[in-house]
């Protein structure tokens, strides 16, 4: 399977991708911090999130923030999927990697020898970005299940009941936080990737390679 190279001179990230990225940052931030306030109202684990890390001030306020941000995330997600399909972004940049390509790039990443080309996605990134899209979809579906368990009874049953759906929702949130931590760490290591999300930066030259 071939992963086509980004045409020379093309921006590393198109304007729609940059806009949708920052909308996601805002929506996910609001959902995470308000979600922690909601969790504190009925904790499943033996700990609470500190008040400074929550949003909403109380359960009702947190729910209002959470639901508002959730719809923003869903609308932005639908726009991203449609753009990814019709612009060729998914086909060009997020094709699932072969196991050999993933293991090779993962080995190089662990040894701190994996080069980063602005505007190109290595096999590890393609698998992780595809994975986080699936995680976000599960997060939204479990969120609907615990928000309206009667109206979305079919979804509740699919996830094994209200309690299990709530626990899956929490688990997906933990995975998302983990992804964000790794993502921010990589940005700190290669800070010019952050610049490419604010303005049009030419992609690095890279030859097509086997995915």
């Amino acid at each position: 399977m071939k992963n086509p190279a980004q045409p020379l001179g093309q921006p590393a990230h198109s304007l729609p991708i940059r806009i949708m990225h920052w909308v996601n940052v805002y929506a996910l931030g609001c959902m995470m911090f308000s979600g922690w306030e909601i969790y504190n109202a009925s904790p499943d684990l033996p700990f609470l999130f500190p008040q400074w890390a929550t949003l909403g001030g109380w359960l009702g306020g947190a729910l209002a923030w959470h639901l508002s941000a959730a719809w923003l995330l869903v609308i932005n997600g639908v726009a991203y999927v449609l753009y990814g399909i019709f612009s060729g972004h998914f086909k060009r940049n997020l094709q699932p990697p072969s196991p050999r390509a993933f293991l090779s790039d993962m080995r190089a990443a662990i040894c701190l020898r994996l080069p980063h080309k602005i505007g190109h996605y290595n096999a590890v990134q393609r698998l992780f970005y595809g994975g986080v899209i699936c995680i976000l979809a599960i997060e939204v579906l479990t969120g609907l299940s615990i928000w309206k368990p009667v109206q979305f009874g079919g979804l509740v049953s699919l996830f094994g009941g209200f309690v299990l759906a709530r626990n899956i929702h929490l688990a997906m949130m933990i995975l998302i936080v983990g992804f964000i931590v790794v993502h921010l760490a990589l940005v700190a290591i290669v800070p010019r990737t952050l610049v490419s999300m604010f303005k049009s930066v030419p992609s690095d030259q890279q030859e097509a390679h086997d995915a």
Side-chain angles (χ1 to χ4, degrees), residues 9-179:
Q10 289 293 312
H13 304 289
S14 66
L15 180 60
I17 289 292
R18 298 200 303 272
I19 292 173
M20 287 184 283
H21 171 268
W22 292 113
V23 171
N24 259 353
V25 169
Y26 173 78
L28 278 174
C30 291
M31 290 195 69
M32 281 170 42
F33 299 135
S34 61
W36 294 346
E37 179 71 38
I38 296 169
Y39 165 87
N40 283 350
S42 180
D44 289 333
L45 300 174
F47 70 87
L48 296 176
F49 291 98
Q51 195 61 36
W52 58 262
T54 63
L55 178 65
W58 61 299
L59 179 57
L63 284 169
W65 274 100
H66 204 69
L67 292 174
S68 298
W71 288 117
L72 178 61
L73 182 70
V74 168
I75 293 170
N76 195 57
V78 171
Y80 175 74
V81 169
L82 293 175
Y83 177 84
I85 294 172
F86 292 107
S87 71
H89 172 66
F90 289 164
K91 182 179 180 180
R92 184 171 58 251
N93 296 317
L94 293 179
Q95 287 187 20
S98 67
R100 183 172 65 175
F102 173 77
L103 291 175
S104 175
D105 281 0
M106 178 60 80
R107 191 179 304 113
I110 292 173
C111 297
L112 302 180
R113 295 177 180 174
L114 182 62
H116 186 85
K117 299 286 187 179
I118 301 297
H120 305 277
Y121 297 78
N122 58 55
V124 175
Q125 288 176 307
R126 297 205 305 275
L127 186 66
F128 282 5
Y129 287 159
V132 81
I133 291 172
C134 295
I135 289 171
L136 285 168
I138 296 173
E139 184 78 341
V140 169
L141 293 175
T142 53
L144 287 173
S145 299
I146 60 182
W147 174 46
K148 296 288 187 180
V150 175
Q151 292 85 343
F152 294 102
L155 275 179
V156 176
S157 298
L158 179 65
F159 289 113
F162 180 87
V163 174
L164 187 55
R166 187 173 189 264
N167 289 336
I168 293 173
H169 192 72
L170 177 61
M172 294 301 102
M173 182 274 292
I174 293 172
L175 290 177
I176 292 169
V177 172
F179 173 84

